[in-house]
Amino acid sequence: MNIRKFSGLLASGLLALSLASCSSSGGEPTTAASASGDGSYTIGVANFMLSGPYFSGMDKAIAAQAKKKGKIEIISTDANGDAAKLASNVEDLLSKNVDAIIISGGPLESAPAALNAAKTANKPVVLVDRKFQAGEYTSWIGPDNKAIGVQNGQFLAEKLPKGGKVAIIKGGPADNSIGLARTEGVKSVLGSTAGITLVEAPDFGNWGSDGGLTVMESLLATNPDLVAVFCENDAMCLGAQRAIADAGKAEQIVIAGVDGQAEALKAILDGTNYLVTGLNDADIIGAMGLDRAVEILSGAKVEKDTVVPSPRVTKENAAEYFDPKGGF
């Protein structure tokens, strides 16, 4: 993990959040807290999907943080985007008598079978990035996605004083609350900014670079006069940037993304048309998720919900967050 990146988040207020074991507003410790007297635990990681760089980066960050702590064994699974498989993976982890489970839900909106299985087994569950819409969990750690969208919208409004057409590329599916919150934040600013017209892509970019490229190509074919594009994550924006360059419009169209993916930060640092992203770093959230699970198992009272600061990253401060050796 980039020390400067982590220090920057501490300065933003993360210190108080990461010391949440001092909080009295949290989930209840479970019987697993006394599972071992020497601080050694087995923690299961149930990933809905590892196909995207964000989710694979988070899985790596959890494993890396466990290695730093020592005495922590990680058993990681991948449901390949299948909700039933996620539930099956959780049941399999429970059969291995893990002490706690971390769930990275990706675009999944709810996982009642998985949460119910953990509850029945009296095992704590830590959700990272995705907070499910229903079901009981012990603790959640993630960003304020609407706030990220708002700050991107404010940035674009400042950069586009003459107005123009701004495209929005969404990850999908239609009910994805994370993407919806990010886009809602952008639209809450730009939708009422004089001179700016919003153009939402009719197709989803599916959270990947290839999808972003394909959707951007279609947008350029119908809206050659675009002046900016916002994508619900950096991976799609990196693909969109390729399409924009191929069309010879890099000087015309600026780019705003979300997450703080290393390739996006490098593009920002290099002074390309990729101007801004909102930090939602998989390395940091993954590490915090592992720490939170260990805190719970150690008997600490923790916050039920922890919102991780998501600073706006531009060329002026991107070096603080860029970590070419990170998992994300």
Side-chain angles (χ1 to χ4, degrees), residues 7-167:
S7 298
L9 283 178
L10 292 182
S12 300
L14 183 54
L15 178 60
L17 297 175
S18 63
L19 296 180
S21 58
C22 298
S23 169
S24 61
S25 60
E28 294 299 323
T30 71
T31 55
S34 59
S36 63
D38 61 356
S40 62
Y41 303 108
T42 299
I43 296 176
V45 183
N47 296 287
F48 180 60
M49 57 192 299
L50 288 176
S51 56
Y54 185 86
F55 307 118
S56 62
M58 187 173 298
D59 187 63
K60 292 174 185 175
I62 291 170
Q65 189 71 358
K67 187 175 181 179
K68 289 179 184 178
K69 287 184 173 295
K71 296 184 178 181
I72 307 293
E73 179 186 356
I74 295 295
I75 304 175
S76 180
T77 65
D78 180 9
N80 294 305
D82 185 325
K85 178 61 174 172
L86 179 73
S88 174
N89 286 345
V90 167
E91 290 177 355
D92 185 55
L93 289 169
L94 293 171
S95 74
K96 292 179 169 62
N97 200 32
V98 297
D99 298 303
I101 292 178
I102 297 172
I103 298 181
S104 172
L108 190 65
E109 284 297 308
S110 63
L115 293 179
N116 288 340
K119 180 182 178 181
T120 299
N122 199 30
K123 302 291 185 179
V125 173
V126 176
L127 306 180
V128 287
D129 183 52
R130 162 70 68 181
K131 184 196 293 186
F132 292 133
Q133 298 301 299
E136 295 184 31
Y137 58 92
T138 312
S139 189
W140 164 80
I141 296 172
D144 182 336
N145 288 293
K146 183 175 181 179
I148 298 174
V150 167
Q151 68 188 18
N152 269 359
Q154 292 169 338
F155 179 89
L156 289 174
E158 294 166 5
K159 288 295 179 181
L160 303 171
K162 295 181 181 180
K165 283 186 181 180
V166 178

Side-chain angles (χ1 to χ4, degrees), residues 220-233:
L220 289 170
T222 55
N223 298 274
D225 54 343
L226 289 171
V227 296
V229 58
F230 163 76
C231 308
E232 290 179 345
N233 78 340

